[in-house]
Amino acid sequence: MPQAEGGYVSLPAVNGNGSAIYQSTTEPSAPPSVFESVKRVIGQAIKSTPGDSEELLRSERQPVIVGGVRDRDKTGKTLNTKMPSAPTHTAEEAHLLGTMPVDPMDDIELRSVQLHFPNARGSILEACDQRRVPTDKGDIHVAIQGDTSKPAIVTYHDLGLNYATSFAGFFNFPVMRGLLENFCVYHVTAPGQEEGAPALPEDYVYPTMDELAAQLLFVLSHFGLKSVIGFGVGAGANILARFAHGHPDKVGALCLINCVSTQSGWIEWGYQSFNARFLRTKGMTQGVIDYLMWHHFGRNPEERNHDLVQMYKQHFERAVNPTNLAMLINAYIHRNDLHLARTPPGTPGTETAATTLKMPVINITGSLSPHVDDTVTFNGRLDPTNSSWMKISDCALVLEEQPAKLAEAFRLFLQGEGYAVGTLQKLARKISMASRSSSTQIELSVQ
């Protein structure tokens, strides 16, 4: 007999073999009528044939499979356990995906793109004439780029770098490549800092900062240079400033980036002392790499240029001799003050020319650099009539992150000093016209 009202009714239908099809299947049902109950009882009593049973089943409602307990939620509702045939989207997502226009530029493939001046780091190695210059503190590496009959520019690199890693990208910039037609660049590398350099002997006494500056006299004498233009970064800027202060007749102008004119403070001395110790005992550790990255890029460099950061990290890990770098760091943290002072004209007992740099100086830093305050201090010690301070926005490593702005500033600085004015102006005009024409073509194609 069927169960009471509100219960479940079993479906005793049988198949052709007489076995029950829906033995374990139940269905929630309303209270059955008397006619249907009597009809079911009569059919079972007379042992109806399979055909009759099928007719009886057709007259009833089709069975609905009801899920088990584990297919229901807490409220008793049946969960949708059907596997979707495609990813489901909300109505808003479907509307956006259906109405979003397809960008025709997605299928465009760029071919035959060529640079007039390829900005490759390896090209500076191939274009330079590698020399070893003997000095009183051993031989130093000098790379010559350009025509030696032209005015000379002497570069000096920062900590952890050499001439190729520090200046390759910048001097391959189009404006600077044109500059090489009017100048000859002498890239000076500190002892033992060139790429792939062997470890210096254990009994080697590394030069102090003053002795590194004095080595430039041997470079000028070796190549027969009477006056040069200094271009230095970080520790190299400090070395060039020392040389210019001691030999003002040998330097015609200075372009210094992140130059420090004071002795090292306690925090810098402590950090760099630990770095030098780790480099000598454990090699290039992660702590040393992090400090070098902060020294060059400031805080959070990955937020500006991830590829550039990875390139410098790989250089520190693979191409730097840790022992030689420890010696250079030790010399840098034991530097003395440059003893520069901006003395107002007419001060009794003092002379401005004797206490500060005589030649024109452009003092440059990046707004994100950790050495901004040092450049401000250095600028306060220079003569305001022949010096200028420049802070370039959105960068810390100016040579790599803002080469266009630095190249333009350096070009204008040289023009102000009377170097190759006509040729550089013509080159800058050509580059600006080319950039304007390319932007105009892009606007026309977009319209």
Side-chain angles (χ1 to χ4, degrees):
M1 293 296 292
Q3 197 173 347
E5 181 180 355
Y8 291 89
V9 177
S10 62
L11 302 179
V14 295
N15 57 8
N17 298 327
S19 60
I21 305 176
Y22 303 110
Q23 284 182 352
S24 61
T25 306
T26 57
E27 174 190 27
S29 63
S33 63
V34 178
F35 177 76
E36 292 178 351
S37 301
V38 172
K39 184 172 58 174
R40 184 182 297 277
V41 173
I42 294 174
Q44 292 179 354
I46 63 176
K47 298 181 179 180
S48 59
T49 62
D52 296 332
S53 299
E54 293 177 0
E55 291 179 0
L56 289 174
L57 287 174
R58 293 193 192 99
S59 64
E60 298 177 355
R61 290 185 298 169
Q62 293 297 324
V64 178
I65 299 176
V66 180
V69 176
R70 55 179 67 175
D71 293 335
R72 297 174 181 271
D73 58 8
K74 295 181 180 179
T75 61
K77 295 183 179 180
T78 304
L79 297 175
N80 183 16
T81 58
K82 182 180 179 181
M83 182 68 67
S85 59
T88 58
H89 301 281
T90 62
E92 182 179 0
E93 291 176 348
H95 178 71
L96 291 175
L97 293 175
T99 59
M100 186 176 295
V102 179
D103 190 359
M105 298 294 290
D106 293 341
D107 299 330
I108 294 179
E109 181 180 359
L110 298 178
R111 298 180 180 178
S112 301
V113 178
Q114 298 179 357
L115 295 177
H116 184 63
F117 294 114
N119 192 4
R121 292 182 173 273
S123 60
I124 191 174
L125 301 176
E126 301 172 357
C128 290
D129 182 15
Q130 313 293 332
R131 300 285 186 89
R132 302 291 299 184
V133 178
T135 68
D136 58 343
K137 296 294 182 179
D139 295 348
I140 59 174
H141 183 272
V142 179
I144 307 172
Q145 186 179 11
D147 188 359
T148 55
S149 62
K150 301 296 178 64
I153 298 176
V154 173
T155 68
Y156 219 114
H157 58 88
D158 201 356
L159 298 176
L161 304 177
N162 51 55
Y163 81 96
T165 54
S166 188
F167 301 106
F170 179 67
F171 279 93
N172 274 315
F173 198 70
V175 175
M176 300 308 298
R177 287 288 295 271
L179 188 73
L180 295 178
E181 299 178 1
N182 303 277
F183 293 90
C184 181
V185 184
Y186 297 83
H187 301 285
V188 180
T189 303
Q193 306 305 313
E194 60 269 15
E195 189 169 352
L200 296 171
E202 296 181 358
D203 57 347
Y204 179 76
V205 179
Y206 205 85
T208 63
M209 295 296 285
D210 289 329
E211 291 172 344
L212 289 173
Q215 284 183 330
L216 295 177
L217 283 175
F218 293 90
V219 175
L220 270 63
S221 176
H222 182 81
F223 296 106
L225 304 177
K226 296 181 179 181
S227 180
V228 298
I229 299 170
F231 191 97
V233 183
N238 184 278
I239 293 173
L240 288 176
R242 290 176 184 275
F243 178 73
H245 188 226
H247 307 277
D249 56 327
K250 301 291 185 181
V251 181
L254 281 176
C255 178
L256 304 178
I257 303 171
N258 295 333
C259 182
V260 180
S261 60
T262 59
Q263 61 183 5
S264 60
W266 285 107
I267 297 178
E268 180 188 3
W269 184 88
Y271 271 108
Q272 293 284 35
S273 297
F274 278 112
N275 291 338
R277 181 182 303 175
F278 289 145
L279 287 170
R280 285 192 298 265
T281 58
K282 300 180 180 181
M284 186 64 69
T285 63
Q286 185 61 42
V288 178
I289 294 177
D290 293 340
Y291 188 87
L292 289 174
M293 295 302 298
W294 172 85
H295 177 81
H296 294 290
F297 289 93
R299 298 182 182 274
N300 303 322
E302 292 84 358
E303 298 179 358
R304 301 194 302 274
N305 195 324
H306 180 74
D307 295 335
L308 185 63
V309 169
Q310 292 301 319
M311 183 185 68
Y312 270 76
K313 285 183 178 180
Q314 293 178 3
H315 167 73
F316 295 143
E317 294 173 354
R318 304 174 183 176
V320 176
N321 189 298
T323 304
N324 299 350
L325 178 58
M327 294 183 180
L328 178 60
I329 290 177
N330 187 68
Y332 184 65
I333 61 176
H334 288 88
R335 66 184 182 271
N336 58 351
D337 195 283
L338 290 180
H339 300 295
L340 300 177
R342 177 189 293 182
T343 305
T347 302
T350 59
E351 294 182 4
T352 305
T355 56
T356 189
L357 299 177
K358 296 174 59 177
M359 69 289 304
V361 180
I362 178 172
N363 181 22
I364 301 176
T365 187
S367 60
L368 303 177
S369 173
H371 312 291
V372 175
D373 294 338
D374 295 321
T375 60
V376 173
T377 302
F378 178 54
N379 183 68
R381 295 179 164 195
L382 299 176
D383 186 357
T385 60
N386 63 356
S387 64
S388 58
W389 180 74
M390 179 179 180
K391 182 170 70 173
I392 301 178
S393 60
D394 300 329
C395 69
L397 188 61
V398 184
L399 286 165
E400 296 286 358
E401 297 182 273
Q402 295 289 355
K405 295 181 180 178
L406 179 59
E408 183 68 12
F410 188 53
R411 180 182 67 85
L412 295 174
F413 174 66
L414 293 179
Q415 287 183 8
E417 300 304 316
Y419 292 100
V421 176
T423 306
L424 289 178
Q425 284 182 342
K426 186 183 299 183
L427 177 63
R429 192 180 301 112
K430 287 182 179 179
I431 294 175
S432 61
M433 291 177 62
S435 61
R436 290 176 183 175
S437 61
S438 61
S439 62
T440 303
Q441 292 177 359
I442 294 175
E443 292 177 356
L444 291 176
S445 61
V446 171
Q447 292 177 356

